[in-house]
Amino acid sequence: MDIISQLQEQINQIAGIAFNTFGTLQRDAPPVRLSPNYPEPPANPTEDAANFAEQPKLMSAALVKAAKQFDALVAALPLSEGGEEAQLKRIAELQSENDAVGQDLQRQLEAAEKELKQVQELFSQAADNCLNLKKPN
């Protein structure tokens, strides 16, 4: 797998961890009184209060680990050589190469369409000849 695909996969993993972390915290967080004017919220019976206290630590550790892996992948990216001018020159070269390949493909497409038309005409003639050989009863 190339480095860009690995970076995309790592971003997806970070997003998944963050999504699960926020969802778990939202689901399991104890109720909080918003104002003294409101009644005390009902207590959520938590089956495992110690586990709830550990969950944010474990999830944040997983998020930090994934972020460090992402940073390591970014550090492994090749450095641009020659600066912006060299990159622009390379882009222009690739663009001209792309144009040449595009023109070649267009010529091949036109030739293939011409050949297809010829084959269709021959098939039509052959079908007409076959139908003309049969005599109606």
Side-chain angles (χ1 to χ4, degrees):
M1 183 183 309
D2 68 336
I3 191 82
I4 299 299
S5 298
Q6 290 176 0
L7 283 168
Q8 291 171 334
E9 188 66 32
Q10 195 63 32
I11 288 172
N12 288 338
Q13 184 177 358
I14 290 171
I17 291 170
F19 181 79
N20 289 334
T21 300
F22 300 146
T24 301
L25 290 174
Q26 182 181 15
R27 179 193 67 205
D28 296 341
V32 176
R33 189 177 203 179
L34 298 176
S35 167
N37 299 332
Y38 291 109
E40 189 68 34
N44 252 354
T46 56
E47 298 170 3
D48 196 3
N51 188 22
F52 175 73
E54 282 297 311
Q55 275 183 335
K57 293 176 187 174
L58 294 174
M59 291 178 175
S60 61
L63 190 60
V64 167
K65 180 181 175 188
K68 285 182 179 180
Q69 289 174 344
F70 180 81
D71 289 342
L73 288 171
V74 169
L77 284 172
L79 297 175
S80 63
E81 299 167 3
E84 187 176 347
E85 288 181 23
Q87 289 178 356
L88 292 174
K89 182 180 176 185
R90 179 69 176 140
I91 289 170
E93 290 171 0
L94 290 173
Q95 186 64 40
S96 64
E97 181 181 333
N98 185 41
D99 292 342
V101 170
Q103 290 173 357
D104 185 43
L105 287 174
Q106 185 63 36
R107 284 190 297 273
Q108 290 178 11
L109 176 64
E110 290 168 0
E113 287 173 345
K114 183 178 178 182
E115 188 174 342
L116 176 63
K117 189 174 182 180
Q118 290 173 347
V119 169
Q120 287 173 336
E121 288 175 6
L122 290 173
F123 180 77
S124 177
Q125 289 175 3
D128 288 344
N129 289 339
C130 287
L131 290 174
N132 290 335
L133 289 178
K134 290 185 179 180
K135 292 183 179 181
N137 291 336

